[in-house]
Amino acid sequence: MRIVEIREHSIPISRHADPALPSGGLTTSAVALLTDVVRDGRPVVGYGFASMGRYAQGGLIRERFAPRLLRARDADLVSPDGRNIDPFRAWTLMMAGEKRGGHGERCVAVGTLDMALWDAAAKIAGLPLARLLADRLGRQPEPAVRVYAGGGYYYPRDDTSRLAEELQRMLRLGYTHAKIKIGSAPVAQDLRRLEAALKVMPGPEHLAVDAMNAYGVEAALSAASALAPYGLWWFEDVCAPLDFQTQSAVAAAYPGRLAAGEALFSADEARLLDLYGGLRRQRDVLVFDPVHCYGLTGFLEIVDVLEARGWPRTSFWPHGGHLFALHVASALGLGGAEVNPFCFAPFGGLHDDGRVQQGRAAPPDTPGIGWERKANAWALFTDLTP
């Protein structure tokens, strides 16, 4: 049982449903991991991509990490019973010789291949990923996961009216909570878009805002003061990821719920956030991305470290907004997951026959992650394979 080929394509993705709108030139890596295992007369192929917002990792994947998997001996790659690829063992092979620290873009490249490995392993086992992962961890997967709709990026024209229309579409799909962006405009402008959003949402406790790490200390405290009276669901990514001094100052001043962790990629950084970021363990939210954190192995280490420090598992709401994150939240019993119903095509959102009911959604029950049930993503992935 071995991996015979790994293919990577770097592709553009957009923050908007209309890819013609400016989106900063974002890209991501899509990978196909071909195995010599045959199911239903065809080789098993695992598919993965580099999640949202960190750009493609083709060079690192092709030149550094994929070759380590392709050189692996069967005994180092497969499970002890010889019946499946073991993604945890594969992760150890990918990280052989790597020094601790220096996370940068390396973590995203590893996480991209890790997603494809888990997709392949679940297909070989004939199980949805949530079931396979939960079985490995001795758990029962959650049949339906709390979800919220991510999006709400700035529109170059008619921003507030288009934002309101986007949120209305989210509610019609069954989402009860949503998140919009702030921080790239003056506070007065952000408050106007917040007021427009609140006219649509059931209440302020159904709306979160995400500053995308934009604020310095003065701007962060000013924004926190302006936002506090609204009673929002949460205020996310207030400042630079490692600016724990500002994060702590905002936590001391802001009475509402904060969310952090999207741009931190390791258990070491997670420990520092808990020690110095001033977060409240029984109130605040952790939005680490299970792809960007070196894949599931790294993400599970973060969960273990923070649980041991008193964080409840329900504090974790993985960033990403795609099917992989939904499976992870189901398997681990996390608080919920982001879904991007209109942005980051073809990967954002649920599978085509997936439905949100009262703010909850179930992962696909297809073996693997379920990309085969998401037509636009599946068309892209099949371009990678013969």
Side-chain angles (χ1 to χ4, degrees):
M1 186 176 296
R2 57 188 294 269
I3 298 166
V4 298
E5 189 176 357
I6 296 173
R7 302 177 181 181
E8 183 273 346
H9 280 182
S10 299
I11 61 169
I13 55 172
S14 176
R15 293 183 171 96
H16 297 282
D18 179 359
L21 293 177
S23 191
L26 274 176
T27 59
T28 193
S29 286
V31 298
L33 186 146
L34 289 70
T35 76
D36 65 351
V37 180
V38 175
R39 290 289 185 270
D40 299 323
R42 297 176 62 87
V44 171
V45 182
Y47 299 100
F49 84 107
S51 196
M52 317 300 192
R54 309 304 302 186
Y55 292 94
Q57 304 299 322
L60 286 170
I61 290 169
R62 292 191 300 269
E63 298 171 13
R64 188 158 157 192
F65 296 107
R68 295 175 186 171
L69 293 175
L70 294 169
R71 291 194 302 263
R73 300 182 308 154
D74 286 6
D76 295 329
L77 187 65
V78 302
S79 56
D81 62 10
R83 299 173 61 183
N84 205 336
I85 290 171
D86 186 334
F88 292 126
R89 287 186 168 187
W91 188 92
T92 300
L93 290 169
M94 284 192 287
M95 291 296 292
E98 297 286 330
K99 293 181 178 179
R100 196 166 183 100
H103 307 297
E105 304 288 89
R106 175 182 73 180
C107 50
V108 184
V110 172
T112 304
L113 291 167
D114 181 81
M115 185 194 295
L117 285 159
W118 280 104
D119 188 40
K123 288 173 177 173
I124 292 169
L127 297 172
L129 175 59
R131 168 60 65 182
L132 175 73
L133 181 58
D135 287 351
R136 288 290 302 264
L137 301 175
R139 298 178 52 85
Q140 289 293 322
E142 297 294 330
V145 175
R146 289 186 66 193
V147 294
Y148 71 90
Y153 289 93
Y154 293 90
Y155 289 94
R157 295 183 303 277
D158 304 320
D159 178 48
T160 55
S161 62
R162 297 189 73 174
L163 173 64
E165 179 186 6
E166 180 183 345
L167 291 169
Q168 288 167 348
R169 292 171 63 200
M170 292 171 174
L171 293 174
R172 287 196 295 269
L173 287 175
Y175 295 95
T176 59
H177 292 70
K179 183 174 74 181
I180 66 172
K181 302 301 181 286
I182 62 171
S184 296
V187 170
Q189 181 179 337
D190 280 338
L191 291 180
R192 285 194 294 272
R193 70 193 325 262
L194 177 60
E195 296 280 0
L198 289 174
K199 290 178 181 178
V200 174
M201 298 301 293
E205 70 278 8
H206 291 255
L207 184 68
V209 293
D210 178 359
M212 298 179 67
N213 308 113
Y215 295 131
V217 61
E218 292 183 7
L221 290 170
S222 176
S225 177
L227 293 173
Y230 288 93
L232 298 173
W233 191 29
W234 73 58
F235 179 15
E236 179 175 330
D237 285 345
V238 173
C239 56
L242 297 175
D243 185 359
F244 300 129
Q245 184 175 6
T246 295
Q247 180 73 64
S248 181
V250 171
Y254 184 69
R257 183 181 289 113
L258 295 171
E262 175 188 329
L264 299 176
F265 310 126
S266 70
D268 294 335
E269 293 169 325
R271 188 181 294 106
L272 291 173
L273 175 66
D274 180 58
L275 280 169
Y276 302 114
L279 298 181
R280 291 75 46 105
R281 293 170 182 159
Q282 300 303 316
R283 180 192 305 180
D284 293 329
V285 176
L286 302 167
V287 289
F288 296 94
D289 188 307
V291 180
H292 294 167
C293 296
Y294 291 94
L296 273 173
T297 299
F299 184 75
L300 289 170
E301 185 182 1
I302 290 171
V303 173
D304 287 345
V305 163
L306 292 182
E307 272 197 308
R309 297 184 63 83
W311 284 88
R313 187 165 288 210
T314 52
S315 296
F316 288 85
W317 287 70
H319 169 265
H322 47 71
L323 294 179
F324 183 74
L326 189 65
H327 279 284
V328 172
S330 170
L332 273 63
L334 306 182
E338 179 180 18
V339 177
N340 288 314
F342 306 129
C343 49
F344 300 114
F347 302 112
L350 300 175
H351 44 303
D352 294 341
D353 54 343
R355 296 292 180 268
V356 181
Q357 296 183 332
Q358 297 181 323
R360 292 181 177 268
D365 59 3
T366 304
I369 294 171
W371 296 121
E372 293 82 354
R373 286 167 58 180
K374 189 169 174 57
N376 54 357
W378 183 235
L380 186 145
F381 279 130
T382 53
D383 284 344
L384 291 172
T385 52

